[in-house]
């Protein structure tokens, strides 16, 4: 078991990084009586990473701050820095499961757009879980950590796992998918966020209005898994699906501009990521992704070239201060 702090009670700091995700496929069922929606989703972890540093503090309790090293403008972010913060929730849950935890301060380096449909908050929660587990020597198994992650939110188990995975249930019933080749993407964040519950509600409203009754999604399209398995970006480009896309566009019609631009400028396909508003463009290769990102930047549109799959939450450093 690791010691909770360094020699002589000196503070210890564990830094963990965890990836954001895009949904390569996201089918959404009807509103369930419990207020949730069943989904059938294929997650892909991409190389845009959140970092959480957990530093032991005297006493007890969990505090949090945002790092100035963040690539996002942290002063402008609408992120609660109290017990509502997903990383704080994760640390508190770990403290409950740990004998004699120290206090902890969490420093979050934000890179994944907030309320962007890429699971940034979930990545912070997964990173905080792993960091506190190491800091306090909680000794939870992978399965136990995944169980705690699911309590924190539907996307948290995937941020722990990483790679590519099929998500059923509310997205939390995960099975890893084989994806050994690299897929290149360009992410186009928006300068506004979309609330995930609001996007789901808009989809329900549109379906009601159109009298569309959808079945519960049972499984994902096998061809998507085959394209991931064989590294076939061209094949995958014809199979990208996101049921939430039209709801996100209904709430933010300007998303059409980037989607339309991408299709006529060399992207294989473009899709709203999760509940949006971040847009993910699938590129044929790394060089094309860099070119697309540069062209967008030239037009004054923020864009970042990434690739996936990448691993889930991992310890980057463990230091006695
Ligand atoms: P989802 O996983 O629901 O698709 P998202 O990726 O669209 O979410 P997040 O960046 O995870 O969006 O944030 C959703 C909301 O969660 C934000 O509006 C924010 O107020 C709240 N939140 C709580 N903790 C965090 C955190 N550590 N980072 C970002 N947002 C957080």
């Amino acid at each position: 078991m690791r010691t909770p702090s360094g020699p002589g009670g000196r503070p210890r700091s564990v830094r963990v990084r965890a990836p954001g995700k895009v949904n390569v496929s996201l089918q959404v069922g009807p509103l369930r009586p419990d207020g949730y929606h069943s989904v059938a989703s294929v997650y892909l972890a991409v190389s845009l990473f959140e970092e959480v540093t957990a530093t032991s503090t005297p006493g007890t309790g969990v505090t949090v701050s945002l790092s100035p090293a963040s690539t996002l403008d942290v002063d402008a972010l609408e992120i609660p820095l109290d017990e509502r913060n997903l990383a704080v929730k994760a640390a508190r849950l770990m403290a409950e499961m740990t004998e004699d935890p120290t206090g902890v301060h969490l420093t979050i380096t934000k890179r994944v757009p907030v309320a962007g449909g890429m699971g940034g908050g979930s990545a912070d929660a997964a990173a905080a879980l792993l960091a506190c587990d190491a800091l306090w020597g909680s000794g939870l198994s992978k399965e136990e950590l995944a169980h705690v992650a699911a309590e924190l939110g539907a996307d948290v188990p995937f941020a722990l796992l990483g790679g590519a995975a099929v998500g059923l249930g509310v997205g939390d019933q995960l099975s890893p998918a084989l994806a050994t080749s690299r897929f290149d993407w360009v992410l186009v964040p928006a300068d506004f966020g979309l609330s995930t519950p609001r996007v789901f509600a808009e989809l329900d409203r549109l379906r009601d209005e159109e009298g569309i009754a959808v079945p519960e999604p049972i499984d994902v399209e096998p061809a998507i898994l085959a394209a991931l398995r064989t590294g076939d970006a061209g094949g995958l480009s014809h199979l990208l699906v996101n049921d939430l896309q039209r709801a996100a566009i209904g709430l933010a019609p300007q998303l059409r501009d980037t989607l339309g631009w991408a299709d006529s400028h060399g992207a294989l396909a473009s899709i709203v990521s999760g509940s949006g508003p971040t847009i993910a463009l699938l590129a044929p290769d790394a060089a094309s992704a860099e070119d697309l990102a540069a062209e967008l930047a030239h037009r004054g549109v923020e864009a970042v070239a990434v690739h996936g799959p990448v691993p889930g939450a991992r310890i980057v450093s463990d230091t006695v201060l």
Side-chain angles (χ1 to χ4, degrees), residues 78-80 84-87 108 110 113-122 124 155 196 275:
E78 289 179 18
I79 296 178
R84 289 167 299 165
N85 191 290
L86 283 168
I108 306 179
K110 297 280 321 167
V114 174
M118 289 191 60
S122 301
D124 296 343
D155 288 345
T196 304
S275 54

